[in-house]
Amino acid sequence: KKIDAYIQKHPDCKSSNTYPQKLRGEPQKLTVYSLPLDLLFYNIKNGRFRMEYGALKEKEGRELRTEDPADAKKIQKLLLDIDPKHTLYLVNDIKKMRQTEPGVITIGGYILNGNRRMAVLQNLVEQGDSSFGYLEVARLPGKVLPIDVWKIEAGIQLSREKQLDYDPINVLLKFEEGLNAGLSSLEMAKSLYGGFQEKDVVEKLQQLKLIIQYLRFIGCPKQFHRVKGLDTHFI
């Protein structure tokens, strides 16, 4: 409702550009908006930092609420610290070029793609430059199926090239998430760019199954940060 009210009051926030996506198998062009950061929320379910979020959750002893400013600050720090070199590159790129590609949000403002960009923009605002207080985003309609959400996130983030930004454990967890959303290994492979085959997805799910068994064996179930850097041991 707050986003709707902002768009109505600031019609110039609507971009002439659109963002193509498939929803329920049908091509659609999503409207792109420039929205204030305080209307948007980090997505703690985002596969790109699921392992790191798990470690933060264990440290805090609870689920964090991205709607809470104190918790949002902790998630922002987590995002900036995952890969300091990449964060510095992103800061310099945004300072020089601003935003070149829109993020993707749910109708309620949760970020499916663009969490690290938002963290960087928020940091620049905190350093005194309020001109960075907006994120360009394509906004999904309401009632989007979990399968569509997975396909959007994975299609953007799990291509061969983009996988370099992912920790290998988070790649495995993203495929598990697709399985839980109701996608078969074949459907997941078809949803991704870069020549994925069904056997590639099956192998990654088998690898994750061994990691889950190992973590249970050492008494640390689902604490995936404990196997960071050890993914090749389970191939």
Side-chain angles (χ1 to χ4, degrees):
K1 288 180 180 178
K2 288 182 179 179
I3 292 172
D4 287 341
Y6 180 85
I7 292 170
Q8 188 173 4
K9 190 175 180 180
H10 303 86
D12 57 330
C13 77
K14 181 178 176 179
S15 172
S16 58
N17 298 324
T18 57
Y19 191 76
Q21 276 297 336
K22 273 190 176 182
L23 296 175
R24 299 180 182 177
E26 296 295 325
Q28 294 194 26
K29 292 182 178 179
L30 303 178
T31 305
V32 176
Y33 302 94
S34 178
L35 297 178
L37 299 182
D38 60 6
L39 292 180
L40 306 175
F41 305 103
Y42 296 112
N43 177 21
I44 55 176
K45 295 181 180 178
N46 188 288
R48 181 165 282 183
F49 58 98
R50 182 174 163 187
M51 177 184 64
E52 291 83 0
Y53 171 69
L56 178 59
K57 186 172 71 170
E58 183 186 342
K59 179 182 175 183
E60 295 289 324
R62 61 182 176 87
E63 289 280 1
L64 279 74
R65 295 182 65 254
T66 58
E67 305 86 353
D68 179 85
D71 281 358
K73 187 65 183 171
K74 292 173 183 176
I75 295 167
Q76 179 194 356
K77 184 178 185 306
L78 177 151
L79 290 165
L80 295 174
D81 291 348
I82 286 176
D83 186 343
K85 185 181 289 186
H86 184 271
T87 296
L88 182 60
Y89 168 81
L90 194 55
V91 168
N92 292 332
D93 187 59
I94 286 176
K95 280 183 176 179
K96 183 179 179 181
M97 304 293 294
R98 294 285 165 159
Q99 205 179 328
T100 56
E101 182 182 348
V104 179
I105 62 168
T106 66
I107 194 168
Y110 291 87
I111 299 173
L112 301 183
N113 187 52
N115 283 275
R116 280 200 284 190
R117 272 173 284 175
M118 175 157 155
V120 167
L121 289 168
Q122 188 67 56
N123 197 45
L124 290 170
V125 170
E126 290 164 1
Q127 291 174 5
D129 193 338
S130 60
S131 69
F132 290 102
Y134 299 85
L135 184 69
E136 288 190 12
V137 289
R139 190 185 186 201
L140 294 173
K143 297 182 179 178
V144 178
L145 298 174
I147 286 176
D148 282 330
V149 171
W150 189 91
K151 285 183 177 180
I152 290 167
E153 285 188 339
I156 295 170
Q157 300 171 358
L158 279 191
S159 64
R160 295 291 189 188
E161 180 184 351
K162 293 289 186 180
Q163 269 198 44
L164 297 174
D165 294 338
Y166 254 80
D167 185 280
I169 299 296
N170 285 334
V171 172
L172 302 180
L173 292 171
K174 193 67 185 175
F175 283 115
E176 180 194 42
E177 185 184 314
L179 196 66
N180 293 338
L183 286 155
S184 68
S185 299
L186 181 59
E187 287 174 312
M188 283 190 272
K190 287 181 176 179
S191 300
L192 304 176
Y193 309 114
F196 275 92
Q197 296 181 18
E198 182 181 11
K199 68 179 183 64
D200 299 322
V201 179
V202 170
E203 286 173 1
K204 288 186 180 298
L205 289 170
Q206 290 174 339
Q207 189 180 352
L208 180 62
K209 186 176 180 180
L210 290 175
I211 291 173
I212 291 171
Q213 290 175 356
Y214 169 73
L215 289 172
R216 193 181 299 126
F217 175 75
I218 65 170
C220 302
K222 297 185 178 180
Q223 296 178 23
F224 295 102
H225 58 283
R226 297 188 181 275
V227 289
K228 182 176 176 63
L230 302 176
D231 56 289
T232 55
H233 290 247
F234 299 89
I235 293 176

